[in-house]
Amino acid sequence: MSKGIISKDEDYSQWFNELVIKADLAEYSPVRGCMIIKPYGYSIWEKMQAVLDKMFKDTGHSNAYFPLFIPKSFFSKEASHVEGFAKECAVVTHYRLKNDENGQIVVDEDAKLEEELIVRPTSETIIWNTYKGWIQSYRDLPLLINQWANVVRWEMRTRLFLRTSEFLWQEGHTAHATSEEAIAEAEQMLEVYADFVENWLAVPVVKGRKTPNERFAGALDTFTIEALMQDGKALQSGTSHFLGQNFAKAFDVKFSNKEGKLDYVWATSWGVSTRLMGALIMSHSDNAGLVLPPKLAPIQVVVVPIYKHDEELANIRIFVNQLSSELKAKGISVKFDDRDTQRPGFKFAEYELKGVPLRVAIGSRDMQNGTVELARRDNRTKETVPQEGLAAHIEQLLEQIQNSIYQKAFAFNEQNTTKVDDYQEFKRLLDEKPGFLLAHWDGTAETEQRIKDETKATIRCIPLNNPQEEGICILTGKPSKERVLFARAY
């Protein structure tokens, strides 16, 4: 199988795009800036969705669904929120088409909406308008709601999974009686995201707070997890926001507390999206194709028979059927590829490209010897092992692969996280050895913006549990008490 993927060292961006397409994850759609997620790619997203959904429900959240279309007037109620999204909004102005005199389909100018509708870029406004009718008393709190949905943010420069005009995500929206409860909720959901990304995607993250410049529009505080990709750029992989009472005041959502007094509720929102697919691909994959952690791989084990005659295949199939039953009983997904239209070498290359964690090859000689050949995708090593106890061995091996993938990414992060105290050195490292840079900042928005303008690096976060350390800002020389995390980012 000819993969024809450019080396990631030659052109990382092109490598990513080619890999997404050739590994059958997604393709470009007829609508500019949008994508079609293909079955193999969507099956990975479904696994992510299932795990996260359980984690949300285990922390007390319930799913609901809110409309795709939001009245434009809702956005004017929270000024900072609308300012943050105004340039990205898609607007519906008419509700009907018609045929013109030439038989062409055109917009019916007589079908103009009385009020324009915004195609959902995020749902705070319509959800808080709804919560007004759901919340009257402290007995109605906390209200813990999550929504799985698609959103539209009109992007001019798009990339599959990383930045598309339409993408899939979940968005949590919660209401609380006190600010302390809301902050605890925002922090809890950040921990949920970090747990998921590290233990399922096998991607190490830095947890932290965004600076005021980088906060979500309308939030008082934004928490984030930041991951480092193999090209040294950061990827924001999940955010959780403490919204204070901004949206409650904008939509007049009040509750009667235990003393019978009216007060505005306190809010959070939090979300991750199909951008996590980009994080998964860019953190682990190589020039041969995808490298998928077993926990999220649609196919965890593929069995490829090597045979010359149908009798040999029949004998192999008996063994594989038993092995498959044992693996499935352990919750391991397995595929037996007995297609006679492709040679084993083609199949090996195909599953390598698709990132299947473990390949089992078995031929007539293996049947005679009571062995199989196992090939790991993560480190591309092979071993011949006995057929006896194979299911248990595979189960252990998949756990090892999951951990090995994480440890490799963790070591990469460690090697590419650098403390820097000099601005010239800071700029040099960004060009020569991209990665996370820990540097002092004077805390002003002006300095943050100037560094961004001059270097294209942003403050990804102020790490949580950050050690206090006296220093001076790399740009202004003003005093600083802690380092912040800088990087160029997607």
Side-chain angles (χ1 to χ4, degrees):
M1 181 179 183
S2 176
K3 290 173 280 197
I5 301 173
I6 193 171
S7 166
K8 60 187 174 74
D9 296 323
E10 183 179 345
D11 189 326
Y12 192 82
S13 178
Q14 187 177 340
W15 164 82
F16 174 81
N17 290 336
E18 290 182 0
L19 181 52
V20 168
I21 293 169
K22 291 180 183 293
D24 254 359
L25 299 178
E27 63 184 37
Y28 295 101
S29 82
V31 180
R32 184 182 179 277
C34 295
M35 64 177 172
I36 295 165
I37 305 176
K38 300 182 76 172
Y40 191 66
Y42 197 79
S43 63
I44 299 173
W45 174 246
E46 283 182 313
K47 278 200 163 190
M48 292 184 181
Q49 189 178 28
V51 175
L52 279 169
D53 198 62
K54 183 178 186 304
M55 295 174 87
F56 297 157
K57 288 171 180 172
D58 286 347
T59 47
H61 301 83
S62 300
N63 288 333
Y65 186 80
F66 297 85
L68 173 66
F69 302 113
I70 303 173
K72 187 182 72 173
S73 58
F74 284 16
F75 282 85
S76 62
K77 293 186 178 183
E78 215 293 325
S80 60
H81 185 67
V82 70
E83 183 180 356
F85 286 101
K87 294 181 180 179
E88 300 176 344
C89 288
V91 184
V92 179
T93 58
H94 292 73
Y95 61 85
R96 189 168 60 217
L97 302 173
K98 68 177 182 179
N99 291 317
D100 65 11
E101 59 275 13
N102 298 315
Q104 300 297 312
I105 298 293
V106 297
V107 173
D108 186 346
E109 292 297 335
D110 294 329
K112 189 172 183 180
L113 293 170
E114 290 184 10
E115 179 181 2
E116 294 92 342
L117 298 175
I118 310 302
V119 183
R120 172 176 56 214
T122 182
S123 297
E124 276 79 6
T125 56
I126 197 161
I127 285 176
W128 280 93
N129 183 74
T130 304
Y131 282 0
K132 183 178 180 178
W134 291 7
I135 299 170
Q136 281 81 42
S137 163
Y138 70 90
R139 297 181 182 88
D140 301 318
L141 300 172
L143 183 59
L144 309 176
I145 299 295
N146 175 65
Q147 171 175 242
W148 292 97
N150 63 333
V151 294
V152 172
R153 296 180 186 176
W154 214 258
E155 296 280 357
M156 294 296 101
R157 301 174 65 182
T158 59
R159 293 186 67 187
L160 295 172
F161 288 119
L162 297 177
R163 194 172 293 278
T164 50
S165 295
E166 179 196 18
F167 55 89
L168 306 181
W169 78 346
Q170 59 73 213
E171 49 180 318
H173 298 273
T174 68
H176 304 266
T178 68
S179 62
E180 291 79 10
E181 287 180 13
I183 292 170
E185 163 77 6
E187 292 174 340
Q188 173 187 242
M189 299 319 295
L190 185 79
E191 293 297 331
V192 167
Y193 288 153
D195 179 10
F196 173 68
V197 173
E198 293 197 330
N199 292 309
W200 291 83
L201 275 73
V203 175
V205 297
V206 177
K207 297 177 287 188
R209 280 186 168 87
K210 289 290 189 182
T211 64
N213 271 9
E214 297 289 330
R215 284 177 191 156
F216 175 72
L220 299 186
D221 211 350
T222 289
F223 302 92
T224 181
I225 52 173
E226 299 288 329
L228 187 64
M229 303 298 97
Q230 291 182 79
D231 64 344
K233 287 186 178 179
L235 185 72
Q236 179 179 288
S237 300
T239 50
S240 181
H241 316 287
F242 170 53
L243 303 177
Q245 294 176 309
N246 289 349
F247 286 91
K249 290 178 178 178
F251 290 89
D252 196 31
V253 184
K254 297 178 181 177
F255 75 104
S256 177
N257 63 24
K258 291 182 179 180
E259 290 73 39
K261 296 180 180 179
L262 283 178
D263 193 11
Y264 292 104
V265 299
W266 299 83
T268 80
S269 66
W270 30 271
V272 296
S273 73
T274 39
R275 172 173 271 221
L276 286 179
M277 292 285 290
L280 183 69
I281 297 162
M282 293 195 296
S283 293
H284 308 309
S285 301
D286 57 28
N287 292 330
L290 296 175
V291 174
L292 297 178
K295 285 185 177 182
L296 291 180
I299 304 167
Q300 294 171 302
V301 179
V302 62
V303 182
V304 178
I306 302 172
Y307 63 96
K308 293 181 180 178
H309 309 292
D310 290 344
E311 295 80 5
E312 294 176 350
L313 176 60
N315 191 29
I316 292 171
R317 182 177 282 113
I318 293 171
F319 169 76
V320 173
N321 286 343
Q322 178 60 36
L323 175 64
S324 297
S325 296
E326 293 176 17
L327 291 175
K328 289 175 182 176
K330 294 176 179 293
I332 297 170
S333 61
V334 57
K335 178 177 180 178
F336 179 38
D337 189 346
D338 60 352
R339 291 176 295 170
D340 60 6
T341 54
Q342 304 293 350
R343 297 179 65 84
F346 179 95
K347 297 175 185 179
F348 291 173
E350 179 181 15
Y351 295 115
E352 185 175 62
L353 173 64
K354 290 193 169 185
V356 175
L358 192 62
R359 186 183 74 229
V360 180
I362 180 167
S364 297
R365 185 173 297 178
D366 293 302
M367 292 301 296
Q368 294 171 8
N369 297 335
T371 60
V372 299
E373 181 188 78
L374 299 181
R376 289 174 54 159
R377 177 63 186 90
D378 62 319
N379 59 18
R380 304 177 81 179
T381 60
K382 298 178 184 179
E383 63 174 339
T384 299
V385 301
Q387 293 179 5
E388 185 177 354
L390 182 58
H393 180 68
I394 286 175
E395 182 179 34
Q396 294 174 357
L397 198 53
L398 290 174
E399 292 176 3
Q400 291 177 21
I401 292 170
Q402 180 81 27
N403 184 61
S404 175
I405 291 174
Y406 176 81
Q407 291 301 330
K408 182 180 178 181
F410 183 84
F412 178 84
N413 275 28
E414 291 284 293
Q415 294 162 9
N416 291 277
T417 301
T418 308
K419 287 185 177 181
V420 58
D421 296 304
D422 176 77
Y423 192 49
Q424 296 306 314
E425 177 73 357
F426 179 87
K427 291 190 287 187
R428 184 187 69 78
L429 287 171
L430 284 170
D431 291 332
E432 297 179 10
K433 186 180 177 286
F436 284 148
L437 299 180
L438 288 164
H440 283 280
W441 162 59
D442 65 15
T444 68
E446 293 77 16
T447 297
E448 181 181 9
Q449 187 62 46
R450 184 177 158 192
I451 292 173
K452 180 179 179 179
D453 292 341
E454 292 180 2
T455 69
K456 295 185 171 61
T458 55
I459 298 176
R460 304 314 304 159
C461 68
I462 304 168
L464 298 181
N465 304 316
N466 214 12
Q468 296 299 290
E469 175 190 285
E470 296 293 336
I472 59 171
C473 174
I474 56 168
L475 180 65
T476 64
K478 293 179 180 178
S480 164
K481 293 187 177 180
E482 61 182 347
R483 294 179 186 270
V484 298
L485 194 72
F486 284 91
R488 289 176 178 156
Y490 285 96

